[in-house]
Amino acid sequence: MSRQSRIIGVIAASCLALTGLSAMSPSQAHEGHGSPRPVSEKRDPTCGPEERELARAGDRFAQGCLTERQEERLQAAEPEPELEAGEMASEDMGLIANIPKNGAFADVNSFSSDLAFQGKYAYGGNYNGFTVYDISKPSQPKQVAQVLCPGSQNDVSVYRDLLVLSTDSSRSDDSCASTSQSATMEDSWEGIKVFDISDPTSPEYVAAVETKCGSHTHTLAPDQRGRNLYVYVSSYSPNTAYPDCQPPHDIISVVRVPVANPAASSLADEAVVFPEGGNPGGNGSSTTSGCHDITAYPKKDIAAGACMGDGVLMDISDRTQPEVIESVRDTENFAFWHSATFNNKGTKVVFTDELGGGGAPTCNEEVGDTRGANGIYDVTKRDRLKFASYYKIDRVQSNNENCVAHNGSLIPVKGKDIMVQAWYQGGISVFDFTNSSKPRELAWFDRGELSSDELILGGSWSAYYYNGHVYSNDIQKGLDVLRITDKAVTKAERYRYRDAFNPQSQPSFNG
């Protein structure tokens, strides 16, 4: 692979200096301001069009060429990885099946993204569309449909006979035959697509709704009667040059999908989340201009938002007007608030920090254990968010492995708070945060680096527990199915999701 076609994460100002970072105590992380972080060098002017296109399409991957100085810095700080290439796992976790990327999704730039589940099917997003898998036999999954519909990230959610797809790359139109088109053009399109999956083996495209700044991710919040499906659209990074994505963009687009008539889907509202402005940024902390990801807990009428520079708790009792009731910042250790997960009681939230945009090697001793990590917060009786601890995998990764906290879900064990989580090329981690101040790992799986010569973007994008197994959508390797034999986790096999499972629309379970 030539240098021009490498998929290498350019490390932004908040994570470029992999050496010399000092860990902050939790109190420092929430009260003070540290010394300014080093400013990143400019990109190599010889970067080709492929890298620039990936940078526009990515999950904050910030692809591009590395300058010679950046390459020298990485090489000088090269850690000794604890694991060599090849599938490795703790004794109580293992891979039992894999379906490689194939067909229109086989290319290295066709990144696998999020997952959703319903009945015996798993739905896997990909930057080129989505795939439907029959997982009735987890050890022998089968691919039953592949829908070609380019438009990153193509995050997916399902509800009854409907599948919702996010498009966050500027397209020529809303069709599945669209081509890339500059966001500076007013007729460019980004937003939400809706498919009929009453026959999962043959999905049908039924509706599209354009939203400001597109749809990087989305969250389903059906009304209490189930007549209308509300879709919270997370998007960010406005630009004065983009007609459909103007600053300050402090909103969440709310799309209404009538369940009985999805073709009539429309924009219901644009809820202002940060009327007084969010985090102004600085010291490596991101400026808030929208939300990256929202996890709703519809049964409890609450949601948690990971909004770039802010972590928020929201009241969603009025589905069209989500209201922020608590906000927290970590201007020392959190670079980018990426996603959130409640515990089953709704008394804790695990926020993730996507340091380096998912394209950087941040799981090493130089970066430390409080950056690119999870931040675990207790929710007090007065709906305040109280910091409890950080959690980060402790296996040292090489500088050829993009690694940072990413998407995960609860494992339904009664009386315990246990989560499985993707860490890109850091693999998959299962950890117990029942004691929110002392989280501990129970099991793990790690393939090791994709290449010993260069950083190829890869690893587990999403790792979720569903009906007895862990399913992972690996950016380059496709669908993985894993089994956990740890005694604390096997109790979860008693629980079965009866309806759809969308990790960003968190269900309640009784274990």
Side-chain angles (χ1 to χ4, degrees), residues 162-278:
L162 303 176
L163 179 144
V164 180
L165 198 68
S166 277
T167 300
D168 191 38
S169 59
S170 187
R171 312 297 297 178
S172 57
D173 55 54
D174 64 4
S175 75
C176 284
S178 68
T179 57
S180 180
Q181 180 170 293
S182 173
T184 60
M185 300 175 66
E186 192 165 3
D187 64 345
S188 295
W189 187 91
E190 299 178 73
I192 287 291
K193 296 169 182 171
V194 182
F195 289 78
D196 183 325
I197 54 169
S198 52
D199 178 359
T201 67
S202 184
E204 296 183 6
Y205 187 8
V206 296
V209 179
E210 186 172 13
T211 57
K212 291 179 180 177
C213 299
S215 174
H216 194 70
T217 63
H218 68 267
T219 304
L220 305 187
D223 63 26
Q224 296 291 2
R225 294 185 178 183
R227 295 178 180 176
N228 291 302
L229 177 62
Y230 290 97
V231 183
Y232 295 151
V233 176
S234 296
S235 56
Y236 55 91
S237 294
N239 191 311
T240 56
Y242 300 162
D244 299 324
C245 186
Q246 291 289 301
H249 192 67
D250 53 3
I251 64 168
I252 296 172
S253 296
V254 183
V255 173
R256 175 179 172 269
V257 181
V259 175
N261 183 22
S265 299
S266 62
L267 185 65
D269 215 324
E270 292 176 340
V272 177
V273 184
F274 301 101
E276 299 178 359

Side-chain angles (χ1 to χ4, degrees), residues 60 119 150 225 258 314 353 355 364 429 458 498 508:
R60 300 184 57 251
R225 294 185 178 183
M314 292 183 279
D353 171 24
L355 174 69
N364 51 48
S429 176
R498 298 177 181 175
S508 177

